[in-house]
Structure formats: structure tokens, C-alpha cells
Amino acid sequence: MSWQAYVDSSLVGTGHVDKGAIVSLAGDSVWAATPGFDVKPVELKQISAALSAGKYDEFYATGLHVAGEKYVLSLTDGTLYARKGREGVAIAKTTQAIIIAHHGEASVAGNATTTVAALADYLVKAGY
């Protein structure tokens, strides 16, 4: 399955996520993304560095920025979760990649987070 297929079917296709991206663990390249979900290179580097170090103090202090939007970090239990009003983002790290997903106001945050965590677990078991 291609990286784009994972975004389209395993993230957006669930109905729990409306936009998603899979990027390199180093945060230096986007492997697949929903059209219009443009996570900026500086945001990718910050997310990558925090996930690699396991330190999220900066995100708690200044917010987590994804695709030019600021979110308030609220959970770091394996999967990062941040909110902006009723919408939010869930982020998980695999062996080689970072999964970033956005859910809209009508979606349930827990379902989006579970969807991202499930894809991350699957990719880790597959060696990615």
C-alpha cells in the first residue's frame, strides 16, 4: 500500500479524521498528505525534535503549530493530542515516520486519537 493510500483509507477513510499527513521521522519530507493540509517545514522539525526527545514543554508553553494553526497541547500519552476549540490534531511516531491527523468540530477527539494510534501501531509492526 502506498503512503497516500494510508492517509486516504486508514486516516480520512475512517470518518474520524478529515485531513492527514505521513512525514519522515526526521521531519524533513512529507511522504503523503491530504490536499491542502500543508504542514510547514519548521512545524515538522519542531514536532520531530519533540517526539524524538520525548519533551513537550515548549508545546505546553507556546502551543503546537500544525499547518499554520495554533493548538493547545492536552495529552502526551503515546499519542500527542492538541485542541483549538472543538477541532484538534493527533500525532503519533512510528519507527520511521510521524503521522499527523486533524479532526473537525463534528468529530469525537478520542476517535481521531485512536485512529492515529492504530495506524501507528500497524506501521510499527510492519517495520515502519
Side-chain angles (χ1 to χ4, degrees), residues 25-111:
L25 184 58
D28 57 2
S29 64
V30 177
W31 294 350
T34 303
F37 190 52
D38 299 319
V39 184
K40 311 216 177 328
V42 67
E43 296 167 344
L44 292 175
K45 288 291 188 183
Q46 290 171 335
I47 292 167
S48 173
L51 287 171
S52 294
K55 297 186 179 183
Y56 311 108
D57 294 342
E58 181 181 339
F59 293 151
Y60 280 117
T62 63
L64 172 63
H65 292 82
V66 175
E69 298 290 329
K70 180 180 176 182
Y71 297 87
V72 177
L73 187 64
S74 61
L75 179 67
T76 57
D77 187 22
T79 300
L80 298 181
Y81 180 73
R83 300 188 85 108
K84 182 181 91 170
R86 293 185 43 84
E87 64 183 87
V89 291
I91 302 171
K93 177 180 96 158
T94 71
T95 309
Q96 298 179 28
I98 299 170
I99 303 165
I100 304 171
H102 174 274
H103 74 82
E105 292 184 5
S107 297
V108 176
N111 291 343

